[in-house]
Amino acid sequence: MKFSLLIKNIIYSVVTNGDAEVCHITKDPADVAEGSLYICIKGISGDGHEHIETAVKNGAVAILCEAELENRPQLPCVKVENSREALGFVCKEFYGDPLSGINVVGVTGTNGKTSTTYFLEGIYKTAGRKCGVIGTAGVRINGEERRFKYATSTTPDTIDLFRIFTAMRNEGVSDIFMEATSHALALHKLSALHFSHALFTNLTQDHLDFHKTFEEYLAAKSRLFKLSDSAVLNADDKSSSVISKDSLCERFTYSVEAESDFRAENLKFSPDGTDFDLNGEHFFLPIPGSFSVYNALAAIASAKKAGIPYNVIAEGLLSVRVIPGRIQPVKNDLEIGVIVDYAHTPDGLEKVIKAVRSFTEKRVITVFGCGGDRDRTKRPIMGRVSGELSDFCVVTSDNPRSEEPESIIAEILPGIAPTCCRYISEPDRRLAIFKALEIAESGDCVIIAGKGHEDYQEYENKRRISFDDRIVAKEALAAKGATL
């Protein structure tokens, strides 16, 4: 495709005149090949403008940048205000607007994004629709997991995202449900997209290493609602009022406590799930915990406003029995509850422990840690939350990245110590899980929190080793004599 056509919908200044035939788009100088358009991105840890010469040598035929260039390459080159934002519109042209005619729903919030997209998938599949899901647990097309390589953990980078959209379009997907992270929104990765509905789950402390303040974190989340036709907001979360004021789109609300358009009533909890009533209809959600009800309500409100009847919605929710790494049970015959959950924030940890407490006969034993190179201020808070709500804690490693696990644990313990909860620390996560299950007795429940669906641990220089809490828990149960 001609370079001039790729940039027709962005505002730019011409640095070098001319045109070129582009057959590849990249922002990675190592990925440049003959016929590439090279997009210069100013990243968090590097600046793509410094690699223009290398890109030209490797075959780049056009350049898009946002900085003044001292040595202008003798090929088509344009300057924009924000190259990350421009990249989305360039991809939209290059991939032939793959979302045209597809219903796209975005879900944002600190916790609950993955569960909400899975509930939406269950509902829409029951309604006979072909669905795509993009998020923390990976990519699903028509109910099947698909392997797409992308570097970020939740919302893929722009080029990867458009490749996924194209694959979904080619397989006849009619509806896409995707998680929208604050990082992706702040960095304009989604600016070229249009959403039919934008769903807000909740906002609690997280990612302050990146956003610096809670206000900046909320502002990033709010950007999604400027890209959408309608907003579905959690009326029980005070941040919804800020989002509502900033948003000009149509707004709907859901809740358990406050008055709203979709308010759940008569909640009844059990280890097998939750019953609740909504607008004269009865629902059963086969996943326990009040936080699961909130996630389901967001999906219900969106689906109902899209014209799906309540009976189909109820049937769709029933079809969602397991969400990878979200209050996921590891079944055994020792009468010991084992729950693997992705909870990695103070609020997420609090919610999962309270949910498990509601159906646990005896003790709640919590295994958790905190990620390295991430918001350090939440570490003692997570220690306090776990200590106040658990009967026993095993503090361990999560994804340590460039930090020493012992140093991370040392920042967690000041929060747990004043609670008087019994605890041990074990930096080796595998040993920590084994020790927790050695302690556990019939009637107890062990929560293994922080990594959920992840099948790795990440160390320095992005080195990963194979590690899955669910598999390790099964090994520990087997060592205890369980039949799985």
Side-chain angles (χ1 to χ4, degrees):
M1 179 179 286
K2 290 293 185 182
F3 179 51
S4 57
L5 294 177
L6 293 177
I7 60 175
K8 67 180 183 180
N9 288 319
I10 62 175
I11 298 173
Y12 62 88
S13 58
V14 177
V15 178
T16 306
N17 288 314
D19 207 349
E21 188 68 30
V22 174
C23 60
H24 179 235
I25 299 174
T26 184
K27 60 185 181 66
D28 180 359
D31 186 45
V32 173
E34 193 66 38
S36 294
L37 163 59
Y38 177 58
I39 311 285
C40 305
I41 300 288
K42 288 186 176 181
I44 297 171
S45 58
D47 187 346
H49 293 80
E50 298 173 357
H51 304 285
I52 290 177
E53 185 177 344
T54 300
V56 173
K57 287 181 180 178
N58 289 343
V61 295
I63 304 291
L64 188 150
C65 63
E66 64 179 52
E68 294 291 344
L69 303 179
E70 291 184 8
N71 299 310
R72 297 176 182 177
Q74 295 304 306
L75 46 77
C77 180
V78 298
K79 179 178 176 295
V80 297
E81 183 175 343
N82 187 311
S83 55
R84 287 186 185 275
E85 185 174 10
L87 175 57
F89 292 95
V90 168
C91 284
K92 190 173 182 178
E93 295 299 324
F94 186 78
Y95 288 97
D97 194 6
L99 294 180
S100 178
I102 295 178
N103 172 47
V104 185
V105 178
V107 183
T108 198
T110 304
N111 302 308
K113 297 185 293 296
T114 299
S115 295
T116 303
T117 60
Y118 270 66
F119 289 140
L120 284 164
E121 180 191 36
I123 292 167
Y124 275 70
K125 279 177 61 181
T126 302
R129 312 276 292 196
K130 292 185 177 181
C131 305
V133 178
I134 303 170
T136 312
V139 175
R140 289 162 63 88
I141 301 178
N142 295 326
E144 296 181 1
E145 183 179 348
R146 301 296 174 87
R147 292 288 182 180
F148 286 90
K149 185 179 180 181
Y150 53 91
T152 53
S153 61
T154 301
T155 309
D157 282 332
T158 308
I159 297 173
D160 297 323
L161 195 55
F162 272 87
R163 287 173 181 159
I164 294 168
F165 290 153
T166 301
M168 289 181 171
R169 178 192 61 192
N170 292 342
E171 294 198 38
V173 164
S174 56
D175 304 90
I176 295 175
F177 313 114
M178 63 175 291
E179 300 179 43
T181 63
S182 57
H183 290 71
L185 289 160
L187 296 173
H188 298 282
K189 294 180 182 181
L190 308 181
S191 295
L193 307 187
H194 179 78
F195 299 86
S196 60
H197 295 162
L199 281 55
F200 172 67
T201 58
N202 50 62
L203 203 71
T204 60
Q205 180 177 336
D206 200 14
H207 304 306
L208 296 189
D209 55 312
F210 178 80
H211 296 289
K212 306 308 179 187
T213 68
F214 191 83
E215 290 72 24
E216 287 183 20
Y217 182 34
L218 174 56
K221 294 289 190 185
S222 297
R223 289 186 178 187
L224 178 64
F225 302 89
K226 296 177 174 65
L227 304 171
S228 179
D229 292 331
S230 68
V232 178
L233 306 173
N234 179 357
D236 289 337
D237 190 296
K238 61 183 180 181
S239 294
S240 288
S241 60
V242 178
I243 293 172
S244 184
K245 290 176 183 177
D246 290 343
S247 174
L248 299 177
C249 64
E250 188 176 16
R251 295 176 290 278
F252 307 100
T253 56
Y254 64 93
S255 68
V256 172
E257 299 175 358
E259 290 298 322
S260 66
D261 300 305
F262 297 87
R263 183 185 180 189
E265 298 178 303
N266 304 320
L267 279 69
K268 296 178 182 177
F269 301 102
S270 75
D272 298 320
T274 307
D275 288 272
F276 62 93
D277 296 324
L278 172 66
N279 294 345
E281 303 287 337
H282 181 74
F283 294 86
F284 177 72
L285 189 64
I287 296 177
S290 60
F291 61 91
S292 295
V293 175
Y294 277 98
N295 300 332
L297 286 173
I300 292 170
S302 177
K304 183 62 177 173
K305 287 301 178 181
I308 299 178
Y310 277 134
N311 64 313
V312 174
I313 293 173
E315 185 180 346
L317 291 176
L318 278 173
S319 72
V320 185
R321 296 281 170 175
V322 175
I323 300 172
R326 273 60 179 178
I327 203 161
Q328 184 174 353
V330 180
K331 297 186 181 299
N332 63 87
D333 61 353
L334 299 180
E335 298 183 347
I336 296 173
V338 181
I339 297 292
V340 173
D341 194 86
Y342 190 54
H344 59 282
T345 66
D347 180 69
L349 191 60
E350 177 180 351
K351 285 177 177 175
V352 74
I353 297 174
K354 285 183 175 179
V356 169
R357 173 71 70 189
S358 71
F359 56 75
T360 298
E361 180 185 349
K362 295 182 180 177
R363 296 179 301 170
V364 173
I365 300 168
T366 303
V367 182
F368 77 103
C370 291
D373 303 332
R374 298 295 185 268
D375 183 3
R376 294 174 59 180
T377 63
K378 69 182 182 183
R379 294 173 183 175
I381 302 173
M382 290 181 67
R384 175 181 56 77
V385 167
S386 185
E388 289 177 348
L389 299 176
S390 308
D391 298 294
F392 196 97
C393 295
V394 182
V395 187
T396 188
S397 175
D398 192 284
N399 289 319
R401 301 184 178 91
S402 71
E403 294 190 67
E404 290 296 327
E406 293 85 354
S407 299
I408 299 173
I409 290 171
E411 294 186 349
I412 295 172
L413 296 184
I416 197 172
T419 68
C420 298
C421 177
R422 294 180 61 204
Y423 71 90
I424 59 172
S425 61
E426 172 51 68
D428 186 310
R429 191 173 180 92
R430 179 181 174 82
L431 289 179
I433 293 171
F434 268 74
K435 287 181 179 180
L437 283 163
E438 285 173 7
I439 295 166
E441 300 174 351
S442 175
D444 293 342
C445 187
V446 176
I447 301 170
I448 306 171
K451 292 181 59 59
H453 65 284
E454 293 179 351
D455 58 3
Y456 62 84
Q457 271 193 292
E458 186 172 331
Y459 290 84
E460 193 169 11
N461 297 321
K462 296 185 178 181
R463 179 177 66 89
R464 290 183 175 184
I465 64 168
S466 179
F467 195 97
D468 190 317
D469 285 348
R470 296 161 294 189
I471 293 174
V472 176
K474 288 179 181 179
E475 292 171 349
L477 285 164
K480 197 177 176 72
T483 300
L484 303 175

